[in-house]
Amino acid sequence: GNDTLKVPRSMHAQNRQRLVSLMNKQSCKGVALLLGGTSKTRDDSDHEEIFRQESNFHYLFGVPMEDCYGAIDVKTGESTLFVPHLPDSYRVWFG
């Protein structure tokens, strides 16, 4: 809501940089791949459960959307966010 504390995106970038620094100290190489929270429905129904982002993914990327992936290059610190492509027909439901 309007009274919610605004969190700057720079905080998540700093969190990712801290992770990269720790991984470099441990001589880790490669890419860290993270899966965000996934959307879930009840069995045999179209009822969606209330979504909650996976905590580590939220800490590093701050993205509230479900079914996303994030990748962080340990050598360069460069990060990439993968957001699912939704068909145009979804605009009716999501705006």
Side-chain angles (χ1 to χ4, degrees):
N2 292 333
D3 297 324
T4 303
L5 177 65
K6 302 290 185 206
V7 177
R9 294 271 181 216
S10 60
M11 182 188 79
H12 302 290
Q14 292 169 354
N15 293 342
R16 290 191 299 271
Q17 190 54 50
R18 270 195 291 269
L19 174 66
V20 168
S21 294
L22 289 170
M23 292 180 82
N24 281 322
K25 285 181 184 176
Q26 297 294 322
S27 300
C28 295
K29 295 179 180 164
V31 175
L33 181 63
L34 294 105
L35 170 63
T38 56
S39 57
K40 298 175 183 161
T41 57
R42 286 188 189 160
D43 294 332
D44 300 324
S45 75
D46 62 353
H47 173 79
E48 289 186 22
E49 295 181 13
I50 295 173
F51 174 73
R52 183 179 183 283
Q53 187 58 274
E54 196 278 326
S55 297
N56 294 310
F57 189 84
H58 187 267
Y59 174 78
L60 294 170
F61 288 94
V63 177
M65 190 174 166
E66 64 262 4
D67 302 324
C68 294
Y69 286 85
I72 304 170
D73 186 316
V74 176
K75 183 177 181 182
T76 66
E78 183 177 327
S79 60
T80 305
L81 178 66
F82 300 94
V83 179
H85 175 73
L86 300 174
D88 289 340
S89 60
Y90 275 57
R91 290 183 188 169
V92 172
W93 304 108
F94 297 116

